Amino acid sequence: MTLTATARAQPAALWRSLTERREQWWPGMRFDAEPGAALREEWTEDGQVRIATGVVLESSPGVRLAFAWQQPEWEAPLRVVFSLAPAPDGTVVRLHETGFAALGVGARLLGEHLEGWRFHLANLAAHAEDDERGHAPERWNEGVSAVHLDRIRP
């Protein structure tokens, strides 16, 4: 699965939002942007606490971040790569997640992750845009406007 979003912010602002200020728009995800660092996401779904854990695989500031993560019920980990590239109107963020074929529930999980990544990419782009302009909105993790979602393409 690959999703692409364009944010009206420079790569440095996107990187800062993704790695240093992530708790403002994705409060359940924790990791340091260093290869080998542990990763942990915790959220509540249907009244139950869910956890995914993993490890940061690559970190090239302002350019690329990769990690592997897995929930206990998955047969194998998934690999996620964020790639950032300057664009005339800001930064293109490309998210690529692989490994679904190795999972018995791959097709169902792929659909869930597609929906989740659209939400998170929209929040990442909106946060970076606002952060670059010096705004500190309190709307994070509530979803963002359709304007941001329209700029995300599978």
Side-chain angles (χ1 to χ4, degrees):
M1 165 192 48
T2 301
L3 293 172
T4 303
T6 301
R8 292 180 301 261
Q10 296 303 307
L14 258 292
W15 185 258
R16 213 172 25 253
S17 290
L18 179 61
T19 61
E20 298 170 23
R21 298 182 178 161
R22 187 183 48 261
E23 69 281 351
Q24 295 172 354
W25 60 272
W26 193 357
M29 177 63 93
R30 303 273 188 263
F31 65 84
D32 292 324
E34 298 291 330
L39 174 142
R40 179 181 173 95
E41 182 187 18
E42 188 173 316
W43 71 101
T44 301
E45 183 178 314
D46 298 329
Q48 293 195 15
V49 174
R50 307 290 305 234
I51 296 172
T53 58
V55 63
V56 175
L57 302 171
E58 299 175 49
S59 180
S60 180
V63 179
R64 184 177 168 98
L65 176 74
F67 59 83
W69 67 341
Q70 185 171 4
Q71 286 183 243
E73 64 272 14
W74 299 351
E75 298 164 12
L78 298 175
R79 180 182 167 101
V80 176
V81 178
F82 286 90
S83 301
L84 310 179
D89 56 347
T91 302
V92 173
V93 182
R94 180 177 172 262
L95 179 132
H96 187 65
E97 187 172 32
T98 58
F100 293 99
L103 304 178
V105 294
R108 179 186 57 77
L109 191 62
L110 176 63
E112 291 172 3
H113 280 224
L114 183 60
E115 180 182 339
W117 283 124
R118 283 183 171 145
F119 176 82
H120 289 307
L121 277 180
N123 276 330
L124 170 61
H127 184 271
E129 290 171 3
D130 286 345
D131 182 54
E132 188 166 84
R133 287 157 185 75
H135 300 123
E138 297 181 19
R139 64 186 162 91
W140 303 116
N141 219 30
E142 295 177 9
V144 295
S145 70
V147 173
H148 288 88
L149 293 175
D150 288 342
R151 287 184 281 141
I152 296 177
R153 298 173 295 278

